[in-house]
Amino acid sequence: MSESRLIIKFGGESGQGINTLGQILSKSIKESGFYNFAYREYPSLIKGGVASYQIDISDEQIASSSRYCNILSILSKDAIHDYLPSVSPNGVVIYNKEDLELSQEENNYIKENNITLISLDTIKMALEVQGIELMANMVLLGFIWKLLGLDTKPLEEIVRDTFKDKNVDLEAEIRCAMVGYNSNQIKNDVLKPITFKPKMKWKDSLNITGNEAVALGAISAGCRAFYAYPMTPATSIFKYLGDTYKKTGILIKQAENEITAAQLVMGSMNMGTRAMTATSGGGFDLMTETISCAGISETPMVIVLAQRVGAGTGVPTWTGAGDLSLALHGGHGEFPRCIMSVSNPQDAYTLTQEAFNIAETYQIPVILLTDKQIAESIFNIKDLPKPIDIERGISNGEYRYEITDSGISPRWIPSINNPTYLQTSDEHNITGESTEQSNDIVEMSDKRLRKVETLREQIREPEYFGSKNPDIVFVGYGSAGNTVGDTLKRHPDVGYLHYQYIYPLKYEKIIEIDGKGARIVLIENNQTGDFGKLIKQESGFEITERILKYDGRPLFLEDILNFLND
Amino acid sequence: MPIPITQYNNEVKPTWCKGCGNYAIHIAIKKALGELDIAPNQTLITFDIGCSGNGADKINVNAFKGLHGRSIPLAIGSHLANRKITVLATIGDGGCLHEGLDHLIHAIRSNYDITILIHNNQNFALTTGQATATTLEGKEMYGLPDGRPEREINIGELVLSSKPSFFARGYSGDPLQLTDIFKAAIKHKGCSVVEIMQTCPTYNRESSLEWFTERIEKLEKPLLTINDARDTVLMHEKIKTGIIYTDNSIPTFYDRLENRKNSTTELIDEVKQYDISKLLEDFK
Ligand SMILES: Cc1ncc(C[n+]2csc(CCOP(=O)(O)OP(=O)(O)O)c2C)c(N)n1
Ligand code: SF4
Ligand SMILES: [Mg+2]
């Protein structure tokens, strides 16, 4: 078994319609029966800068990007310099003639790697078939479609579907795509036909981002309020829940800041509904006081922490996984919490539902970690898993903060039918009365922390993939795990231990693997190996071999392949 | 049938100083709820951190004592989840004008159907008497031996500038008027803001009962225009109390949500598994 890929990249400026182009292509490829994975790079500005949209087409379900592409389509002058080095040997570069000014070095690269340059005046071609300038991208799409050697029917269907509700001349759009497809510039030696077989069943698969799957998980779990404050890469959860709010009835509120968003969640969940907010590191900083409050008052909360790279404002639209320590330690005082990490739409969907169950049952804040690579990339997946049953942990009892072995006290919904309900962020006794007594403080603190142990019993073990007798076992989570997962398809001799539940941590499998003598390698999309530190803290075991990447890019397939080949 | 005030009592002893205005405010809240026939378990009061917040466990209602400056968003989140529960947010002048000023302004402009009670004792009392934005300019305060160097914020002016749907001013020395104000504020559909001039004999001796008695004048009825209301709250020599301004034409936040217009349930009634298969069609 060896997965093969054909990779297309669009490079241009923000605001040139690269996304639409990429989306249509990705959908049409799926419609033709092929798997694909789409990854976007874009700057934190509205017009200009350099942006790209890369589609990896494969004969297997994949969830990562390659560092290299076979076809590079350049829409703006500057993009060539950024993306030419990513064109693989024998690749094709499509560009507008007047756009290309290459350095000597670049020309050498092209020669050495036998790269073909094709200049295509897409605007002129669009106008020639009575299209308009804006339809130049359609010409490009048709041209690429021809290079791939695919039947035009699926492409036409998707184009029609994409523009059906928009105010455009559909027939002209199709004509433009066709003039690209039939261009006489396409010579046999530049064709890059997909050589693997389509799986026609795959047509019904889903093209979905991690954020959309989180949103669907929330909808499915009965989340009835979403409190938002925009911050990349969490924002598109807000978009999806907002765009569907008439169908779902979910209350959407854009709060004045993240402090408010978190407080709204805490207030709503305390009253007995399910609510959620989503942010990135900077917004999460502002939420930490509320997380601490939820911790001591034992109020359920669900927060999505969609990571991007860097401290301060960092590099807002680029990926990273440097906020694990923040999720673990954000908020003053000592209190129980649960941290989960998603890596693809399937587990984003499931874990979001589980987050609500755990938050309510254990009356704790639950933090759902994701990162830009998961949040915004478009995964092509067969289906989402079955929904999981709702568990709410609502029970009657005499005392709100009763001391129990499990650490879980009775929780009820404030209502005309129930006794009054007192929540407090003061240290308190079993009734909720504020206390400063030493024994009360210790008893209540111990009770709360027992919830971590009870939860540790309930959560899933990390999942092991790959070889039964591995020489090397990677340990990871999040989007880095996706790349390892795809590597296993080419390296059946390695193993991968994948974490969804980060805290409480189940570490026994790592010790077990170490006992069998395999080399253990930590893989993280950050600078200091946060997860490794957690493993050491919890288990005493230190993973000394590490792959760490913190340049704002996800782990590309080649990052791991090169490591294995070294 | 009014509910007797004793139903809102519990066993926990108050911890306020002798002569503290919080006693009267606390009683007025209980009386107002009782007279409106709103039962303890039909009420939620969010408490801030401060002397006012120390009342949280001394009243038998649903209560949530959260964080300093945050009782307003906590109340809003609670209200949106279940509008059948009457929600009040109590907060000190410190929490309201310093730590959480943004929340006050946005609550007013969103016009959530909640009641906000600002306990204005002109200082951070629980932290032993530092200056707040309502402390008089130049007044000697904790850590400020030469007097506080900034101007004051007039709560009435601030609230009115945000175009509230209800603003009233009460006084802890007049619990009967306060009860009436609270009743009107709770009944008002929309965000009701009540500034309570609260005595603090420990850290604000200047604003004593006598000082207030000399200055307070009751308004017979609310002012008709927001400009008149502003002139009234800005008076220097007099402190006007009563319902100062109302505007019933402003819709509440919830009533403006298109997707909730026809729903007959509250968010708390709607937690169940939802079928997403129709939504998934868009991803195919
Ligand atoms: C985030 C935070 N900062 C500071 C404090 C300390 N603190 C507790 S009460 C208080 C002042 C309260 O003043 P005010 O809101 O006017 O209430 P009062 O005590 O006067 O009733 C402060 C600053 C805190 N609890 N939390
Ligand atoms: S310090 Fe002031 S506000 Fe606090 S309890 Fe004493 S009198 Fe009341
Ligand atoms: Mg005060």
Side-chain angles (χ1 to χ4, degrees):
Chain A
M1 172 175 71
S2 175
E3 172 241 336
S4 28
R5 298 186 183 205
L6 192 108
I7 301 138
I8 306 161
K9 194 179 195 103
F10 295 101
E13 285 176 10
S14 233
Q16 281 189 315
I18 289 185
N19 276 343
T20 314
L21 202 52
Q23 274 159 15
I24 295 175
L25 189 62
S26 163
K27 278 194 175 168
S28 310
I29 287 165
K30 171 172 95 72
E31 194 67 14
S32 307
F34 299 100
Y35 305 85
N36 68 82
F37 176 81
Y39 159 63
R40 289 173 59 206
E41 291 180 352
Y42 60 97
S44 182
L45 40 81
I46 303 303
K47 271 218 181 297
V50 173
S52 75
Y53 196 108
Q54 177 176 322
I55 300 170
D56 287 44
I57 309 170
S58 173
D59 55 345
E60 290 198 34
Q61 188 171 318
I62 51 169
S64 64
S65 304
S66 168
R67 185 188 286 279
Y68 301 102
C69 60
N70 305 97
I71 300 172
L72 173 65
S73 169
I74 291 296
L75 284 89
S76 78
K77 212 169 164 168
D78 289 340
I80 184 73
H81 310 299
D82 286 271
Y83 294 118
L84 180 64
S86 71
V87 182
S88 53
N90 305 316
V92 173
V93 177
I94 307 161
Y95 69 103
N96 264 329
K97 195 170 212 129
E98 46 287 359
D99 272 349
L100 228 45
E101 285 165 23
L102 295 173
S103 68
Q104 189 53 44
E105 212 177 307
E106 286 168 333
N107 277 320
N108 290 344
Y109 181 85
I110 289 168
K111 226 177 266 154
E112 278 160 23
N113 291 292
N114 190 32
I115 292 166
T116 311
L117 301 183
I118 302 175
S119 105
L120 204 62
D121 194 339
T122 48
I123 295 179
K124 190 166 150 237
M125 289 164 81
L127 297 176
E128 272 168 12
V129 290
Q130 284 79 49
I132 53 173
E133 222 172 276
L134 272 175
M135 294 175 186
N137 282 355
M138 281 293 129
V139 178
L140 194 56
L141 198 58
F143 190 86
I144 290 171
W145 201 250
K146 179 70 180 202
L147 291 184
L148 299 177
L150 296 174
D151 178 34
T152 53
K153 214 175 125 222
L155 178 68
E156 189 178 331
E157 269 173 33
I158 297 296
V159 170
R160 286 191 187 280
D161 194 56
T162 307
F163 294 115
K164 69 172 183 283
D165 300 325
K166 310 240 161 71
N167 185 21
V168 297
D169 181 351
L170 244 178
E171 297 313 317
E173 300 275 0
I174 302 285
R175 277 199 307 277
C176 287
M178 286 309 148
V179 77
Y181 188 85
N182 295 318
S183 160
N184 57 14
Q185 301 228 43
I186 300 178
K187 311 266 169 1
N188 275 343
D189 57 341
V190 299
L191 291 179
K192 292 270 166 270
I194 299 180
T195 50
F196 28 90
K197 286 221 163 56
K199 300 202 169 102
M200 286 323 279
K201 263 196 178 159
W202 201 247
K203 285 173 65 165
D204 288 331
S205 64
L206 310 174
N207 258 7
I208 187 169
T209 66
N211 273 354
E212 286 160 342
V214 166
L216 286 164
I219 294 169
S220 167
C223 172
R224 302 305 294 154
F226 183 73
Y227 301 120
Y229 192 90
M231 187 163 189
T232 306
T235 318
S236 56
I237 298 176
F238 174 24
K239 176 165 172 51
Y240 185 74
L241 290 173
D243 286 349
T244 54
Y245 92 139
K246 283 224 172 93
K247 290 180 193 152
T248 62
I250 288 179
L251 184 145
I252 303 288
K253 162 70 192 169
Q254 187 182 318
E256 58 263 25
N257 53 39
E258 290 88 346
I259 295 175
T260 307
Q263 288 281 331
L264 294 172
V265 171
M266 187 168 71
S268 288
M269 292 217 38
N270 182 53
M271 293 304 273
T273 191
R274 287 183 160 191
M276 187 173 89
T277 185
T279 184
S280 192
F284 192 87
D285 283 344
L286 296 176
M287 296 184 179
T288 55
E289 60 165 24
T290 305
I291 292 170
S292 164
C293 179
I296 191 167
S297 64
E298 306 201 40
T299 315
M301 263 190 101
V302 176
I303 301 163
V304 179
L305 170 47
Q307 303 167 93
R308 61 197 214 187
V309 64
T313 307
V315 201
T317 53
W318 296 77
T319 201
D323 293 336
L324 177 58
S325 285
L326 172 65
L328 268 172
H329 304 295
H332 55 285
E334 297 163 302
F335 58 90
R337 69 180 88 201
C338 175
I339 300 167
M340 317 172 163
S341 162
V342 311
S343 53
N344 56 48
Q346 296 93 318
D347 70 3
Y349 178 66
T350 302
L351 286 171
T352 306
Q353 298 169 68
E354 289 178 357
F356 281 101
N357 283 354
I358 289 174
E360 287 206 289
T361 305
Y362 291 84
Q363 304 168 35
I364 54 173
V366 178
I367 299 152
L368 200 63
L369 276 180
T370 169
D371 61 57
K372 186 243 166 189
Q373 179 65 2
I374 306 159
E376 296 187 349
S377 294
I378 300 154
F379 295 72
N380 182 201
I381 59 166
K382 191 138 187 277
D383 206 352
L384 287 176
K386 288 214 159 47
I388 56 168
D389 291 338
I390 289 180
E391 293 164 18
R392 305 202 57 193
I394 292 165
S395 68
N396 288 327
E398 197 171 349
Y399 299 112
R400 164 66 187 111
Y401 291 113
E402 200 174 301
I403 305 294
T404 60
D405 289 342
S406 65
I408 301 170
S409 304
R411 170 177 105 87
W412 60 93
I413 288 174
S415 119
I416 191 78
N417 303 314
N418 287 331
T420 52
Y421 191 73
L422 172 60
Q423 292 285 99
T424 177
S425 77
D426 279 351
E427 190 54 279
H428 43 263
N429 66 18
I430 55 172
T431 65
E433 184 185 335
S434 301
T435 184
E436 298 181 347
Q437 299 294 320
S438 97
N439 57 329
D440 281 346
I441 297 170
V442 171
E443 202 178 33
M444 201 51 72
S445 304
D446 288 348
K447 179 202 90 82
R448 276 193 299 269
L449 234 51
R450 278 203 293 280
K451 295 195 285 189
V452 176
E453 291 320 309
T454 311
L455 177 59
R456 200 192 303 272
E457 298 291 305
Q458 190 207 325
I459 57 178
R460 274 191 299 284
E461 290 282 344
E463 197 173 354
Y464 181 80
F465 299 92
S467 166
K468 289 218 169 69
N469 278 310
D471 298 330
I472 294 187
V473 175
F474 291 99
V475 174
Y477 62 99
S479 69
N482 296 339
T483 317
V484 183
D486 286 346
T487 310
L488 295 188
K489 292 168 189 150
R490 301 176 186 217
H491 276 271
D493 51 324
V494 302
Y496 174 49
L497 190 64
H498 177 67
Y499 274 86
Q500 290 185 320
Y501 281 87
I502 304 286
Y503 191 84
L505 182 78
K506 296 222 180 191
Y507 52 77
E508 291 74 10
K509 277 204 176 162
I510 301 179
I511 311 288
E512 202 182 297
I513 291 165
D514 181 56
K516 287 185 189 157
R519 235 172 98 193
I520 299 182
V521 179
L522 180 75
I523 180 155
E524 295 194 58
N525 210 175
N526 60 36
Q527 190 176 7
T528 56
D530 273 357
F531 188 50
K533 285 186 239 162
L534 175 67
I535 293 169
K536 168 116 196 266
Q537 174 199 307
E538 295 289 302
S539 70
F541 181 79
E542 183 166 2
I543 304 179
T544 49
E545 220 177 328
R546 308 185 299 179
I547 300 178
L548 302 176
K549 186 176 180 183
Y550 47 95
D551 60 353
R553 275 71 181 162
L555 278 130
F556 293 120
L557 195 58
E558 291 76 7
D559 290 329
I560 304 174
L561 293 177
N562 292 347
F563 174 87
L564 289 171
N565 295 338
D566 272 353
Chain B
M1 261 275 284
I3 301 168
I5 189 168
T6 48
Q7 291 215 7
Y8 303 87
N9 292 343
N10 65 15
E11 309 282 284
V12 186
K13 295 264 168 317
T15 50
W16 294 305
C17 309
K18 193 161 164 277
C20 174
N22 275 313
Y23 287 102
I25 302 172
H26 221 55
I27 289 169
I29 293 174
K30 294 176 184 179
K31 249 171 85 65
L33 289 169
E35 287 175 21
L36 290 174
D37 198 20
I38 302 170
N41 55 9
Q42 265 179 301
T43 311
L44 172 85
I45 306 182
T46 61
F47 288 86
D48 215 75
I49 307 307
C51 287
S52 72
N54 280 353
D57 53 354
K58 282 112 194 159
I59 181 169
N60 177 35
V61 291
N62 296 312
F64 197 146
K65 181 175 184 178
L67 295 175
H68 184 47
R70 311 292 173 224
S71 71
I72 294 173
L74 184 57
I76 295 164
S78 310
H79 158 71
L80 295 176
N82 184 1
R83 289 169 304 153
K84 292 199 180 115
I85 301 257
T86 298
V87 176
L88 288 80
T90 66
I91 189 164
D93 51 323
C96 189
L97 299 180
H98 291 254
E99 200 78 276
L101 180 56
D102 43 355
H103 308 308
L104 176 71
I105 308 288
H106 285 275
I108 295 170
R109 82 174 243 279
S110 300
N111 201 29
Y112 306 102
D113 189 11
I114 62 167
T115 298
I116 298 170
L117 307 181
I118 307 169
H119 298 229
N120 180 10
N121 57 6
Q122 296 178 298
N123 78 98
F124 288 109
L126 189 61
T127 44
T128 66
Q130 295 79 16
T132 63
T134 55
T135 305
L136 294 183
E137 183 176 349
K139 188 175 170 189
E140 250 179 66
M141 295 296 283
Y142 185 113
L144 300 174
D146 294 319
R148 68 99 37 97
E150 302 103 339
R151 282 171 292 152
E152 299 123 56
I153 289 178
N154 179 308
I155 293 180
E157 186 188 22
L158 177 76
V159 170
L160 290 166
S161 74
S162 311
K163 298 197 182 66
S165 67
F166 184 106
F167 177 65
R169 194 192 258 161
Y171 167 46
S172 64
D174 189 345
L176 289 183
Q177 185 204 27
L178 209 50
T179 306
D180 286 340
I181 290 175
F182 289 171
K183 280 164 68 180
I186 292 168
K187 277 202 295 198
H188 170 76
K189 191 167 183 222
C191 184
S192 316
V193 183
V194 183
E195 178 194 6
I196 308 158
M197 312 299 302
Q198 183 216 315
T199 52
C200 170
T202 308
Y203 296 113
N204 185 12
R205 283 198 204 108
E206 289 76 3
S207 303
S208 62
L209 283 173
E210 296 72 39
W211 186 90
F212 275 117
T213 315
E214 267 172 33
R215 286 166 176 78
I216 281 186
E217 261 180 27
K218 285 193 209 179
L219 266 180
E220 291 299 312
K221 50 180 193 305
L223 281 311
L224 292 178
T225 71
I226 209 154
N227 284 339
D228 288 347
R230 195 175 294 132
D231 290 343
T232 305
V233 298
L234 281 173
M235 285 180 181
H236 267 298
E237 57 298 351
K238 293 286 168 214
I239 301 171
K240 296 276 188 184
T241 59
I243 299 167
I244 291 179
Y245 182 73
T246 62
D247 180 351
N248 293 321
S249 70
I250 307 172
T252 65
F253 172 79
Y254 205 103
D255 284 346
R256 295 189 63 168
L257 296 175
E258 283 299 326
N259 72 332
R260 301 290 310 171
K261 280 203 167 132
N262 298 319
S263 62
T264 52
T265 48
E266 296 298 315
L267 300 182
I268 63 150
D269 307 317
E270 300 168 5
V271 177
K272 59 175 172 83
Q273 202 168 76
Y274 288 78
D275 181 8
I276 58 156
S277 49
K278 275 222 182 75
L279 293 170
L280 284 183
E281 286 305 313
D282 292 340
F283 297 95
K284 284 187 176 157

